[in-house]
Amino acid sequence: MANGAPEKTHTESQVYLSTRGGDYDLSFETVVLKGLAADGGLFLPHQIPAAENWRNWKDLSYAELAFEILSLYISRSEIPADDLKAIIDRSYSTFRSEEVAPLVHLKDNLYLLELFHGPSYSFKDCALQFLGNLFEYFLVRKNQGKQGKDRHHLTVVGATSGDTGSAAIYGLKGKQDVSVFILHPKGRISPIQEAQMTTCQDANVHNLAIGGTFDDCQDIVKALFSDPDANETLQLGAVNSINFSRILAQIVYYFHSYFSLAKKSSSFQVGDKVRFVTPTGNFGNILAGYFAKQMGLPVAKLVVATNENDILHRFWMTGRYEKSSAQDENGSKAENCKETMSPAMDILVSSNFERLMWFLARDFAATVGMDEEFNRKQAGQEVSAWYKALKTTGGFGPVHDEILENGRKAFESERVSDAETVETIKKWYKSTKYVLDPHSAVGVTASERSIARAGPQTHHISLSTAHPAKFSGVVTQALGEEPGFNFEEQVLPDEFKALLTQERRVTLVDNSWEKVREVVKSQVEEDLKAESS
């Protein structure tokens, strides 16, 4: 088996392929350090493992559960058990909640999964604390006994719509042999999100403000990974959810919240089905739920909750994936990504959707009755054709009816407007005094609609992806006139208050991947000189 993944030491769930067919049999280490496949595709395991003994995990701690799940995807020959346990323990020791991701009861059979108890107050800490420690583990091993230019220096490049950036910085700041470059759309993230990133004073962290949208930032990152010059001079690593380890780490909280629900609700038992509702932009968070479902977790439906940038919702309605028609309130088409109150979801092209489309294409190919090699090859060709059409024409589809119907067995979707987001924040504060951030409000709005469809007896877990303090403008707009509400006293953590007065480090760069490449190359040279001295 190629690329450092000997067959006898790896299961089919511990070796990886590209969604576009150009790579197979890759090791987990290769996938983590490369991030994006050479053919432009995303990495996936050859198959999703069946968690046959998942019921036995019901009383495990979060870290213990993470070890069981991650072990199905990572060969002991790559990361021995004790090392993996140590990486996991370090990753979740930084969280403010002992449960890591506590489940909160909202009303009746609706529960909220709080994923914002990590260092950056965002769900992305659940994956990026782990990824930061993975990078460190692999680099320490690669560089053992090496000096100077012989050392492997990783250049991590990521795009952020707000939360990935700060979570990546908190996961990687100060780590040896790593330079971190985070691209954010200038003026399109919240003041707190910007402060969390740009006040970091660690020498290996570099913030680049790009004149454009998140999609522009993401396109620049993908262009860098596809550029031979950048790959020759820089050892590029990815922190966006294109890096499969991000998806892998997020599977854990679907299982953990399911077991928490069984403990908290007298009407829910292990074995019962639950609906998960996930506010999503880049499709990584809800894709982790799909993996959990395919592994055996009893998930009735995964509900995609989008804002007015609704490419995912439109796909589930029509079978066509088209980036040019986010709609305004009057139903007219907007050609660009619309700025909304939930900026982390202001995305036209959801990168991780490609991973789901590969699985759906493979399932469709399997109906022919050929072997798995044929199915994978067909899936790679189909995905390549779809994404070539997306790049050249702005969309693809409608996909075959069987592909769409197969996807609809697992997924439903909802689109939530800004006005509805504000109303939901108001409604739940008035009835429960709980303060939702705008992304979580999108999820709760979608949950209420899902409950109306499925019935009040159906248990729902709605994912809360960020702390409300990160979105002071929206929360204050929604609740500013509520009697007794005080944002600073009720919502704002002390460490956020301190951030706003600290010195900033940020570089403004034109919306050009070539210019970003030159900035990155120049800065990495300086970082290497500083390390060697």
Side-chain angles (χ1 to χ4, degrees), residues 18-22 39-41 320-321 354 357-358 361 376-399 403:
S18 166
T19 51
R20 300 191 190 179
D39 61 4
R320 177 158 176 78
Y321 191 74
E354 178 171 338
M357 294 309 295
W358 186 90
R376 290 172 184 162
K377 184 177 180 181
Q378 287 297 112
Q381 290 175 352
E382 194 77 80
V383 168
S384 293
W386 283 331
Y387 280 81
K388 183 178 181 181
L390 178 66
K391 187 173 183 178
T392 56
T393 70
F396 63 79
V399 298
I403 291 175

Side-chain angles (χ1 to χ4, degrees), residues 347-411:
I347 296 170
L348 285 182
V349 177
S350 302
S351 291
N352 282 289
F353 196 63
E354 178 171 338
R355 286 182 161 120
L356 176 68
M357 294 309 295
W358 186 90
F359 284 117
L360 296 180
R362 187 204 57 186
D363 290 350
F364 184 57
T367 61
V368 177
M370 303 289 280
D371 62 14
E372 187 60 18
E373 184 179 350
F374 171 85
N375 299 340
R376 290 172 184 162
K377 184 177 180 181
Q378 287 297 112
Q381 290 175 352
E382 194 77 80
V383 168
S384 293
W386 283 331
Y387 280 81
K388 183 178 181 181
L390 178 66
K391 187 173 183 178
T392 56
T393 70
F396 63 79
V399 298
H400 194 284
D401 286 348
E402 285 187 39
I403 291 175
L404 184 59
E405 287 309 310
N406 186 27
R408 284 173 174 166
K409 290 176 185 175
F411 292 93

Side-chain angles (χ1 to χ4, degrees), residues 165-219:
S166 54
I169 288 167
Y170 280 71
L172 290 165
K173 63 180 182 177
K175 293 197 183 294
Q176 191 177 7
D177 298 312
V178 181
S179 295
V180 185
F181 295 85
I182 300 297
L183 284 64
H184 71 266
K186 180 174 167 51
R188 283 177 172 248
I189 60 176
S190 79
I192 285 289
Q193 288 174 317
E194 184 176 345
Q196 281 186 299
M197 293 190 295
T198 60
T199 55
C200 178
Q201 299 301 313
D202 291 76
N204 72 321
V205 172
H206 311 285
N207 285 284
L208 307 182
I210 308 296
T213 66
F214 168 76
D215 288 273
D216 294 326
C217 296
Q218 188 161 251
D219 286 345

Side-chain angles (χ1 to χ4, degrees), residues 125-186:
D125 291 319
C126 297
L128 281 163
Q129 285 291 300
F130 174 66
L131 178 56
N133 287 317
L134 269 182
F135 279 151
E136 183 176 52
Y137 177 83
F138 288 137
L139 287 173
V140 166
R141 189 162 69 186
K142 274 180 174 290
N143 289 330
Q144 197 165 6
K146 295 179 181 176
Q147 298 293 328
K149 291 184 177 179
D150 291 336
R151 295 182 69 82
H152 186 100
H153 185 94
L154 190 67
T155 303
V156 171
V157 184
T160 187
S161 52
D163 287 330
T164 293
S166 54
I169 288 167
Y170 280 71
L172 290 165
K173 63 180 182 177
K175 293 197 183 294
Q176 191 177 7
D177 298 312
V178 181
S179 295
V180 185
F181 295 85
I182 300 297
L183 284 64
H184 71 266
K186 180 174 167 51

